[in-house]
Amino acid sequence: MARHLAASRMFGFWTPRVRVSGWADLLDTPGFPPRIAPLCIHATGKDAIMDIFMKCGEFTAADEARERGLYPYFKPLTNNEGTEAVVGDHHLIMIGSNNYLGLTVHPRVRQAAIEAVQVYGTSCTGSRFLNGTLEMHLELERRLAKWVNKEAALVFSTGYQVNLGTISAIVGRDDFVVTDKDDHASIVDGCKLSYGTMKRFPHNDLEALDRLLASLPADRGKLVVVDGVFSMGGDIAPLPELIAICHKHEARLMVDDAHSIGVLGGGRGTAAEFGVTEGVDLIMGTFSKSFASLGGFIAGDADVIDYIQHHARSLIFSASIPPANTAAAMAALEVMESEPERVQRLIDIGTFMRERYRALGFNIGVSETPIIPIIIGDDDRTLMFWKALFDAGVYTNPVLSPAVPPGMQLLRTSYMATHTDEQLERVLATVGQVGKALGVI
């Protein structure tokens, strides 16, 4: 199921809604908090008034998971030094992070953030549209555009805001936006925020996309939006074929490279990996992964970027990216430029781990990147697998139904260029032992 579902559904926390027509039904509702009952129903029939907070009292799945000791989310980290994390006094190898190049602990990146605070303070206290643009924002935009080989770039405060602002600015009332069913939630939400019509095609199904675009009116604008690397499966969008189909139907193509920048194409992303940068109209990137910061950007032709800059509500009506985050992202870009061996190390680790997991007998789907799902196929067993690994000192991320279809429940694992061979061997040994104990392999 698409990953744009609310968090309560995303990780399997879903309780049925109860329709209440009167006090008898209300009082018979299991687990309904009596203390808010008087607030919920003030009449019956057509004059009934329902308290909007009623759903909050009905939501019990998280508490039930906590009581079983199987609640895996919102774990507060005491420390997070790249490849290792500490929860309380429990030390773990981190294979649940998007810190692909390990730059959050790079001295150059840390020092850049510190110096930016000393010079500019902690916040810009305003929108990019008004008082919130610094010269360093513009310098970062110039360097990002050069890095991904586009004319111009525009920096937003988060990657999520990039997709919200870009899609809603470009897609108008008479336009169509076409997305892969496995696209990230921020893409889906950007489509919802636009006034256009959203259409979806099955994951990486080129024939379905071709048919869908052929069915749309020729005189309407069309934007196709895909992830470059899909964040759950770790597979790659087939950009050369996508570009050909978009050209055939005169549609524009936007690629979300949140999980590709710093990973593919020498760090320049999916289009660079395939050598098709000119065929991609818009390239989106985020700073919260390989750039070891917070924020994001969109890159493309200068006139298109200028239009987005003056129409993207998530840019205009939000405070700008703080100086420390801007400086950290710029320093991370400098490291990518000067230390290309980090990207190669990451690619090598991804290849090594995929081969070893398959050799152990695990189902890792069609992953082609350092994002490697371990498909368990059952909610309870996935949570038990997660808990056993956590207790044994390995940090992973469980993903449950309905975030994924039944039978596809998985542990999402991802790797960093800074993982040591010894850490990787420990992870493989631990995952293998738990997999055998639970009958997964």
Side-chain angles (χ1 to χ4, degrees):
M1 185 171 288
R3 289 174 286 117
H4 65 275
L5 297 174
S8 61
R9 296 184 66 184
M10 173 169 285
F11 300 108
F13 296 147
W14 180 252
T15 52
R17 295 287 180 256
V18 180
R19 296 183 181 274
V20 180
S21 59
W23 280 108
D25 290 334
L26 176 66
L27 296 176
D28 287 341
T29 303
F32 189 80
R35 67 181 181 83
I36 67 166
L39 299 176
C40 296
I41 303 295
H42 300 286
T44 59
K46 66 178 183 179
D47 296 322
I49 300 175
M50 180 67 70
D51 181 7
I52 198 170
F53 285 173
M54 182 178 177
K55 62 178 74 71
C56 307
E58 296 170 1
F59 176 67
T60 61
D63 281 340
E64 291 166 4
R66 292 185 186 106
E67 290 171 3
R68 295 175 61 197
L70 293 175
Y71 182 76
Y73 308 115
F74 299 100
K75 289 281 186 186
L77 302 181
T78 309
N79 200 352
N80 185 21
E81 287 292 318
T83 60
E84 295 189 358
V86 182
V87 179
D89 58 358
H90 185 44
H91 291 253
L92 304 100
I93 298 174
M94 172 58 76
I95 58 168
S97 170
N98 297 320
N99 184 18
Y100 297 123
L101 298 179
L103 298 184
T104 58
V105 295
H106 195 290
R108 191 168 171 182
V109 176
R110 284 183 162 181
Q111 188 59 35
I114 292 169
E115 291 177 1
V117 170
Q118 292 171 337
V119 174
Y120 295 102
T122 58
S123 173
C124 297
T125 65
S127 163
R128 288 290 308 274
F129 192 64
L130 298 174
N131 67 297
T133 292
L134 301 175
E135 176 57 40
M136 67 189 308
H137 291 140
L138 303 183
E139 180 184 355
L140 177 58
E141 288 169 348
R142 288 190 290 268
R143 296 180 68 170
L144 288 167
K146 182 179 179 181
W147 181 247
V148 298
N149 199 25
K150 289 297 180 184
E151 288 183 358
L154 179 64
V155 167
F156 288 67
S157 299
T158 68
Y160 184 88
Q161 288 174 293
V162 176
N163 282 337
L164 250 65
T166 298
I167 296 171
S168 62
I170 292 295
V171 179
R173 192 177 302 276
D174 296 325
D175 299 326
F176 289 92
V177 56
V178 179
T179 66
D180 187 296
K181 284 191 174 181
D182 278 8
D183 276 353
H184 190 266
S186 57
I187 294 173
V188 176
D189 290 352
C191 297
K192 290 180 178 180
L193 191 61
S194 78
Y195 288 101
T197 301
M198 179 183 178
K199 299 287 186 180
R200 301 167 68 205
F201 63 95
H203 178 51
N204 275 348
D205 189 332
L206 298 171
E207 292 182 359
L209 174 61
D210 190 18
R211 290 193 301 269
L212 175 56
L213 289 175
S215 71
L216 301 180
D219 61 347
R220 304 277 286 277
K222 295 172 280 290
L223 177 68
V224 176
V225 188
V226 297
D227 286 356
V229 169
F230 290 89
S231 62
M232 289 294 169
D235 51 329
I236 303 171
L239 288 192
E241 295 83 357
L242 284 167
I243 290 168
I245 292 171
C246 287
H247 284 176
K248 174 182 177 182
H249 299 286
E250 298 187 357
R252 297 290 186 169
L253 178 62
M254 173 178 166
V255 177
D256 180 334
D257 261 349
H259 295 273
S260 314
I261 300 288
V263 178
L264 299 180
R268 289 174 168 81
T270 316
E273 177 76 9
F274 287 108
V276 295
T277 299
E278 289 186 3
V280 176
D281 298 291
L282 290 169
I283 295 175
M284 176 272 183
T286 182
F287 301 151
S288 58
K289 298 170 179 66
S290 294
F291 283 89
S293 185
L294 182 69
F297 71 93
I298 191 73
D301 291 347
D303 60 340
V304 178
I305 298 303
D306 188 57
Y307 179 89
I308 294 169
Q309 180 170 283
H310 289 88
H311 291 81
R313 294 169 66 86
S314 63
L315 178 83
I316 294 171
F317 297 103
S318 181
S320 63
I321 177 175
N325 295 108
T326 309
M330 192 139 46
L333 179 55
E334 292 169 358
V335 173
M336 288 186 217
E337 294 168 339
S338 62
E339 300 179 22
E341 65 273 12
R342 284 181 177 264
V343 177
Q344 188 57 52
R345 167 68 177 168
L346 177 65
I347 295 300
D348 292 343
I349 287 175
T351 301
F352 172 77
M353 295 302 284
R354 291 193 304 274
E355 291 176 352
R356 291 289 296 274
Y357 279 131
R358 288 190 174 113
L360 285 169
F362 286 106
N363 178 4
I364 62 168
V366 292
S367 171
E368 306 168 77
T369 65
I371 299 171
I372 306 175
I374 299 174
I375 300 170
I376 312 299
D378 173 82
D379 280 349
D380 284 343
R381 204 157 47 152
T382 299
L383 285 175
M384 288 189 288
F385 206 135
W386 162 79
K387 184 65 164 56
L389 289 179
F390 186 90
D391 291 344
V394 177
Y395 193 108
T396 63
N397 294 308
V399 185
L400 311 177
S401 179
V404 290
M408 290 297 292
Q409 294 90 331
L410 58 88
L411 294 178
R412 182 188 186 272
T413 76
S414 52
Y415 300 87
M416 308 179 202
T418 46
H419 275 122
T420 67
D421 292 346
E422 190 271 338
Q423 287 174 327
L424 297 175
E425 291 292 350
R426 282 171 54 196
V427 165
L428 287 165
T430 304
V431 174
Q433 290 170 1
V434 174
K436 290 177 181 177
L438 293 176
V440 176
I441 55 173

